[in-house]
Amino acid sequence: MARRRRKQRGLESFEVTVDLMPLMSMFISIIPMLLLSAVFLELGAIKMQLPSGDPNAPLTAVEKESLGLTIYILDDVFAVEGRGLPRQAAARAHDGVEEGLMTMLGQAVATHPENKDVIIGSGPEVRYQDIIQVMDLARKVGLESVSLLGTGAI
Amino acid sequence: MPGVRRNRRVRKTIRAQRGSVMITSMMDILTTLLFFLLKSFVSDAGPSTPPPGVMLPNSTTEGQVENSIVIAVSHESILLGEKPIVKVSDALARDGIYLEELGGSLDGAWAQMEELAKRAGRQDELTAKVTIQGDRDMEFRVLQKVMYTCNQRGFDEISLAVVQGS
């Protein structure tokens, strides 16, 4: 009996435990490094199609019939025009809430609901963020296909 | 002998009372976190991270970033991938809107992509796409020069990278 007890005691003393501390230390080093280099911004993309042909080529029949709705971004003014539409202008608010432009685009969409195209003509020194904001506004009223117009046209 | 037994008992009691931190549950948390972070790194392997100093504009678009050649425009320079190609000030000082350095670098990048696609047997999947990661304060004339150069080198599909949801 006594020998068996001693044996059992001996077995107890050889209980194996995995030492997790080194692994944990490694994890604690890796995780802050990964967190520091991680990007938490949700990024997206606005797709643009550029013409692959000759820019000086004459307009096609479809292009001639299209509304040709164009938004011009100038220093303090937005101007909207299109074939058969009166040229309108609205002051820029510069605060992200461009009510004047929204109204003008809303009117153009109401009179030509089939049109989904819009051209954005921008001055050479207009900020990129402002152009993106106008693209967002155009998309909001249903103008999903956006093109950019070169500086020379303004 | 009774003294020895007593000593053993005392040592056993001390050993039992010595506190030990249970790190198994902590290990579980850390392992989960590590796998989550590694997974997010793998899924973000595309051209998503803008280089330091480039603050992308905010947009409500829902379009997703695709794998493509990435051109970044910071305050100082125009970069292809992470390599500076031409200074913004130099690009603006020129009269024309075609940027020769960028055009040449785009050709080089395209040749590399073609070579890789050829080796992988995926030539059919190769498309001439470019993503522009422009700083929100960049002037339109810089963007115009970059886009025009891309178009001249045969890159007709251009995406503008933005920060979503604001």
Side-chain angles (χ1 to χ4, degrees), chain A residues 43 46-48 136 151, chain B residues 48 59 66 144 158 160 164:
Chain A
L43 300 180
I46 300 172
K47 286 181 186 171
M48 315 220 57
D136 285 351
T151 326
Chain B
S48 55
S59 172
E66 290 177 359
Q144 190 188 20
I158 296 181
L160 304 175
Q164 280 180 337

Side-chain angles (χ1 to χ4, degrees), chain B residues 111-126:
Chain B
Q112 276 184 359
M113 282 177 76
E114 270 187 328
E115 184 61 33
L116 287 171
K118 202 174 169 182
R119 283 184 196 173
R122 291 180 179 173
Q123 279 162 298
D124 301 338
E125 295 170 26
L126 198 63

Side-chain angles (χ1 to χ4, degrees), chain A residues 40-46 95-96 127-139, chain B residues 50 54-63 132-138 160-166:
Chain A
F40 294 101
L41 292 174
E42 203 171 335
L43 300 180
I46 300 172
D95 61 355
R127 281 175 71 229
Y128 182 40
Q129 173 70 71
D130 296 344
I131 298 167
I132 298 290
Q133 191 190 327
V134 171
M135 285 181 186
D136 285 351
L137 289 174
R139 215 171 22 250
Chain B
V54 175
M55 294 281 285
L56 295 179
N58 300 322
S59 172
T60 54
T61 184
E62 287 170 4
I132 299 174
Q133 296 182 336
D135 190 272
R136 61 176 68 165
D137 292 323
M138 163 176 73
L160 304 175
V162 291
V163 176
Q164 280 180 337
S166 26

Side-chain angles (χ1 to χ4, degrees), chain A residues 68-82 85-92 98 100-102 104-105 108 118-123 134 149 154:
Chain A
L69 185 65
T70 310
I71 306 167
Y72 293 107
I73 312 171
L74 305 172
D75 288 340
D76 292 312
V77 174
F78 287 119
V80 175
E81 68 174 16
L85 286 174
R87 185 170 180 148
Q88 292 178 291
R92 284 178 65 184
E98 302 290 359
L101 179 63
M102 282 291 277
M104 291 191 296
L105 289 178
V118 67
I119 302 163
I120 297 175
S122 174
V134 171
L149 191 68
I154 297 176

Side-chain angles (χ1 to χ4, degrees), chain A residues 11-133:
Chain A
L11 277 174
E12 276 173 353
S13 66
F14 283 109
E15 202 174 287
V16 178
T17 52
V18 182
D19 188 9
L20 294 172
M21 283 308 280
L23 193 63
M24 199 165 130
S25 308
M26 191 188 74
F27 277 15
I28 287 173
S29 321
I30 290 173
I31 286 168
M33 194 188 76
L34 288 173
L35 283 171
L36 278 175
S37 53
V39 179
F40 294 101
L41 292 174
E42 203 171 335
L43 300 180
I46 300 172
K47 286 181 186 171
M48 315 220 57
Q49 292 280 345
L50 297 187
S52 52
D54 179 12
N56 299 319
L59 294 174
T60 61
V62 177
E63 285 169 339
K64 276 180 187 169
E65 281 176 20
S66 69
L67 181 63
L69 185 65
T70 310
I71 306 167
Y72 293 107
I73 312 171
L74 305 172
D75 288 340
D76 292 312
V77 174
F78 287 119
V80 175
E81 68 174 16
R83 288 189 190 92
L85 286 174
R87 185 170 180 148
Q88 292 178 291
R92 284 178 65 184
H94 292 285
D95 61 355
V97 188
E98 302 290 359
E99 290 291 343
L101 179 63
M102 282 291 277
T103 311
M104 291 191 296
L105 289 178
Q107 285 169 358
V109 169
T111 50
H112 297 275
E114 75 291 345
N115 177 61
K116 300 287 174 202
D117 302 331
V118 67
I119 302 163
I120 297 175
S122 174
E125 286 167 13
V126 170
R127 281 175 71 229
Y128 182 40
Q129 173 70 71
D130 296 344
I131 298 167
I132 298 290
Q133 191 190 327

